[in-house]
Amino acid sequence: MENEEIVVSKNFIEQIIEKDLAEGYYDHVQTRFPPEPNGYLHIGHAKSILLNYGLAQKYGGKFNMRFDDTNPTKEKIEFVESIKKDIQWLGADWEDRLFFASDYFPQMYEAAIKLIKKGKAYVCDLSPEEIREYRGTLTEPGKESPYRNRSVEENLELFENMKNGVYKDGEKVLRAKIDMSSPNINMRDPIIYRVAHMTHHNTGDTWCIYPMYDFAHPIEDAIEGITHSICTLEFEDHRPLYDWVVTELEYPHPPKQIEFAKLYLTNVITGKRYIKKLVEDGIVDGWDDPRLVSISALRRRGFTPESIKMFVDLVGVAKANSSVDYAMLEYCIREDLKLKKPRVMAVLDPVKLIIDNYPEDIVEELEVANNLENPELGSRKVPFCKELYIEREDFMEEPPKKYFRLFPGNEVRLMNAYFVTCTGCVKDEDGNVVEVHCTYDPETRSGSGFEGRKVKGTIHWVSARHAAQAEVRLYENIVDEEKGKLNEDGSLNLNPNSLVVLDKCYVEPSLAIAEPEEKFQFVRKGFFCVDSKDSTKEHLVFNRIVSMKSSFKLPAAN
Ligand code: ATP
Ligand code: MG
């Protein structure tokens, strides 16, 4: 079509940003990723990271990394380190802007004083239960605290006492003075500071009062000059409070909160609570078990930052919660790896194939293309000799119809090598096939231009005398797909086949020197990655990232 209009669909956040820039509401874009260091990041966080980083990049702005560490109870340095590593791996670059919300405790304290002085905050002596009672419900308005009308002077003195450790935990709180009859419960004089005699991982024992999230977060954003503070939908009802805080504190270019829907994936576990239990019960091998979707688990399984970015882009940014099919993530990793990685031969369930008419002492070095679709990956040499391993399933003594692989009398192509005709097999006393026998036709060597006849089946193989032995781990969803994630008692409905270990596999000798995290396509079997935790030169371990089969189809572009 001529004059075809190129319609670039923008997500709703981009539309807001473009409007803000066009109207001069902001003259730049600054976003942030604010994790609480209380666990490992997962695929949902990856979405938020790439969204925030992507927007900063797109509009020539800046992306900040900020640990939201205002709650001293659950936070740990171990998590700070893992989070930094994961974000760097994803490629989101915070340059020199790595911040800790706890570094702003002095400014937050000053902000509280400012509110008190404006008559917008007061110290309240009600107990936590009374505060809850006074708050009212969705249908009933709240009741004002008897301490609501303390004088500014009294509030200043009491708040200072709070800071100086005069009170026990829970004895007094500082509350914003907003509106006890607001239809939005978050606006009914929310607590903004509490007394907590706890040691903080960053500030130690400097403070015994800590700001509440809804008060701290807008201040952190404002201090850093954030323009668009992007968070997930559960904070939508908190936005009026966010706006109240930045307005009352009179920041010149206050940030704006924008909510989007969380990413949920089918058949995987993302909740920290469940993952923690699986780790603690020893059902999985730590937070990076390849069956999990923490970022470290995805990395160990063999996913790439590019595949995760493609996935996040495909999912898009929405305002309504929905669940995305795991198969879409698999589609993305296949797409990313298919042209980038060598396609090699590996036999996962081996049985010997002996070529009876092949000379005993000859080894041919066959030149094999690394990736038929990408010549740039070059080629490698693969040894071929009289004794090979093939997949057990590639031989059948009594084949069903349409079985085109090896059976007595049938001819197949050995991938990259010769045509062979099966002559029979040898079995052990239990009737298991231990050797398959065949003869080869020297005229049919691959690449020789032989065109005499065609065969219907091609099977892969490795040289039994040269292959490297390997352990291969195959994965399925950790929860049972058919029956649903949870049992009636709320426990996880685990899939007993989520990990299958094949410990006597053979791979081409070239793979013996593969490095941790190196990735390959194994012909007919899928994409595999050298396990970064357990693989050694003496004991190779490969994780299957994804099989070749796909149940996901990219929707046709309209
Ligand atoms: P979880 O509930 O899994 O523990 P969280 O929201 O408590 O996650 P935070 O460290 O507080 O974790 O979140 C950091 C940022 O990541 C927040 O901006 C949050 O909105 C965002 N985020 C968390 N989960 C998801 C998700 N599933 N999809 C998109 N963004 C998410
Ligand atoms: Mg949280």
Side-chain angles (χ1 to χ4, degrees):
M1 219 188 348
E2 255 180 279
N3 295 328
E4 191 178 1
E5 214 181 313
I6 300 171
V7 183
V8 182
S9 102
K10 289 195 172 37
N11 70 51
F12 75 97
I13 300 179
E14 292 177 345
Q15 289 167 359
I16 294 173
I17 292 178
E18 286 175 20
K19 186 159 177 283
D20 287 341
L21 292 174
E23 291 173 355
Y25 190 82
Y26 296 119
D27 62 3
H28 70 289
V29 170
Q30 187 137 7
T31 60
R32 86 285 173 268
F33 178 66
E36 196 183 344
N38 65 353
Y40 284 73
L41 298 182
H42 56 61
I43 182 88
H45 295 114
K47 173 166 184 172
S48 176
I49 294 161
L50 294 171
L51 174 65
N52 279 291
Y53 179 63
L55 289 169
Q57 271 197 314
K58 176 161 183 173
Y59 296 102
K62 288 179 176 157
F63 166 77
N64 289 7
M65 172 64 209
R66 181 205 312 145
F67 284 101
D68 212 332
D69 58 349
T70 54
N71 178 2
T73 47
K74 298 181 285 177
E75 295 156 4
K76 279 209 260 164
I77 289 291
E78 176 201 348
F79 297 134
V80 169
E81 292 311 318
S82 80
I83 289 172
K84 286 204 300 204
K85 184 175 170 194
D86 289 345
I87 298 176
Q88 277 165 337
W89 179 75
L90 279 173
D93 184 4
W94 59 75
E95 297 170 351
D96 57 353
R97 292 176 305 281
L98 171 65
F99 302 115
F100 287 82
S102 55
D103 288 338
Y104 309 139
F105 282 158
Q107 287 102 309
M108 293 174 189
Y109 179 73
E110 286 309 317
I113 300 229
K114 178 166 180 159
L115 290 183
I116 294 174
K117 287 185 174 159
K118 286 177 77 174
K120 298 285 182 172
Y122 62 97
V123 174
C124 181
D125 302 4
L126 292 179
S127 69
E129 298 75 46
E130 287 168 324
I131 290 182
R132 209 170 308 126
E133 245 170 72
Y134 277 57
R135 192 178 291 138
T137 64
L138 283 174
T139 48
E140 285 166 63
K143 227 168 41 173
E144 292 189 353
S145 159
Y147 306 98
R148 198 173 199 259
N149 296 312
R150 278 177 160 153
S151 69
V152 169
E153 290 67 38
E154 191 183 0
N155 280 319
L156 286 173
E157 192 187 324
L158 293 173
F159 187 52
E160 197 177 334
N161 287 345
M162 276 172 69
K163 183 186 103 167
N164 291 337
V166 173
Y167 311 119
K168 293 195 292 292
D169 291 6
E171 200 176 328
K172 282 188 174 33
V173 292
L174 184 71
R175 299 176 69 174
K177 193 171 181 176
I178 309 180
D179 179 4
M180 287 310 290
S181 59
S182 169
N184 183 337
I185 294 186
N186 295 308
M187 299 298 274
R188 295 182 190 167
D189 291 10
I191 298 172
I192 57 178
Y193 255 101
R194 64 191 169 122
V195 177
H197 293 271
M198 284 186 284
T199 304
H200 186 280
H201 74 93
N202 187 23
T203 57
D205 293 321
T206 311
W207 298 90
C208 64
I209 52 170
Y210 290 96
M212 303 303 285
Y213 181 88
D214 282 341
F215 177 64
H217 202 80
I219 296 177
E220 295 156 23
D221 285 342
I223 290 172
E224 292 177 15
I226 299 302
T227 53
H228 300 86
S229 175
I230 299 165
C231 64
T232 40
L233 282 183
E234 70 272 25
F235 290 101
E236 196 164 18
D237 292 344
H238 297 241
R239 191 185 337 128
L241 180 52
Y242 185 102
D243 291 339
W244 184 90
V245 171
V246 294
T247 307
E248 291 299 341
L249 292 173
E250 299 162 47
Y251 290 109
H253 300 286
K256 218 182 225 196
Q257 175 179 306
I258 304 172
E259 309 86 20
F260 73 102
K262 272 194 176 181
L263 170 67
Y264 295 100
L265 270 184
T266 55
N267 295 316
V268 299
I269 314 290
T270 48
K272 273 177 209 160
R273 192 162 56 96
Y274 290 119
I275 295 181
K276 208 159 166 262
K277 182 133 184 19
L278 290 173
V279 173
E280 281 167 1
D281 293 352
I283 291 168
V284 296
D285 171 32
W287 285 85
D288 61 355
D289 185 289
R291 288 166 291 180
L292 300 175
V293 287
S294 63
I295 296 178
S296 52
L298 290 167
R299 176 166 62 229
R300 184 171 167 202
R301 174 90 172 247
F303 284 86
T304 57
E306 292 81 3
S307 64
I308 295 174
K309 176 151 194 326
M310 188 193 303
F311 174 67
V312 163
D313 288 345
L314 265 181
V315 171
V317 184
K319 201 72 188 173
N321 282 322
S322 66
S323 226
V324 178
D325 193 348
Y326 184 79
M328 192 158 146
L329 184 58
E330 295 187 319
Y331 165 86
C332 293
I333 187 68
R334 278 192 208 97
E335 283 299 301
D336 184 41
L337 297 182
K338 72 180 185 195
L339 296 183
K340 288 188 192 162
K341 297 298 164 191
R343 184 164 168 262
V344 300
M345 295 188 285
V347 175
L348 305 192
D349 182 17
V351 66
K352 254 195 188 162
L353 177 71
I354 303 194
I355 310 172
D356 291 318
N357 62 339
Y358 194 87
E360 181 68 44
D361 49 359
I362 287 195
V363 178
E364 284 183 78
E365 294 282 341
L366 304 176
E367 192 75 28
V368 173
N370 283 331
N371 189 315
L372 291 174
E373 290 163 79
N374 182 7
E376 277 177 26
L377 291 189
S379 62
R380 68 185 184 286
K381 292 227 167 17
V382 181
F384 180 85
C385 67
K386 186 183 177 80
E387 288 177 57
L388 310 175
Y389 285 116
I390 59 168
E391 298 287 350
R392 190 165 282 280
E393 61 173 22
D394 285 345
F395 168 77
M396 281 185 111
E397 208 176 4
E398 289 166 35
K401 268 201 173 129
K402 300 214 173 151
Y403 184 86
F404 299 121
R405 293 173 261 167
L406 279 177
F407 56 87
N410 192 40
E411 186 171 51
V412 302
R413 182 198 306 274
L414 290 177
M415 187 173 282
N416 307 312
Y418 296 94
F419 287 12
V420 293
T421 303
C422 183
T423 53
C425 67
V426 175
K427 293 186 199 168
D428 65 13
E429 56 227 41
D430 300 326
N432 300 311
V433 174
V434 289
E435 277 176 9
V436 178
H437 284 257
C438 66
T439 56
Y440 87 118
D441 177 352
E443 303 290 300
T444 57
R445 181 170 158 159
S446 173
S448 68
F450 174 77
E451 286 193 41
R453 60 186 181 275
K454 295 221 178 328
V455 286
K456 278 197 169 147
T458 299
I459 66 175
H460 66 275
W461 51 273
V462 293
S463 160
R465 294 181 193 159
H466 304 88
Q469 199 169 325
E471 173 181 326
V472 169
R473 298 175 181 170
L474 304 179
Y475 301 101
E476 284 180 15
N477 292 332
I478 194 157
V479 285
D480 194 310
E481 282 180 58
E482 315 268 288
K483 297 192 208 128
K485 264 185 211 184
L486 296 182
N487 294 313
E488 276 180 10
D489 63 358
S491 62
L492 287 170
N493 190 8
L494 296 171
N495 170 5
N497 303 320
S498 62
L499 168 63
V500 173
V501 177
L502 306 174
D503 53 8
K504 255 199 167 350
C505 307
Y506 291 96
V507 297
E508 283 183 24
S510 62
L511 271 60
I513 51 162
E515 295 291 330
E517 294 192 16
E518 211 175 323
K519 299 166 189 66
F520 301 89
Q521 182 183 150
F522 289 177
V523 168
R524 294 160 73 200
K525 296 292 167 190
F527 289 97
F528 292 77
C529 174
V530 179
D531 189 76
S532 54
K533 217 164 165 177
D534 299 334
S535 191
T536 61
K537 291 275 171 278
E538 292 70 42
H539 183 76
L540 284 170
V541 180
F542 290 91
N543 296 318
R544 176 147 75 185
I545 312 168
V546 67
S547 70
M548 299 308 290
K549 287 185 231 98
S550 174
S551 59
F552 174 78
K553 286 227 160 51
L554 196 61
N558 46 5

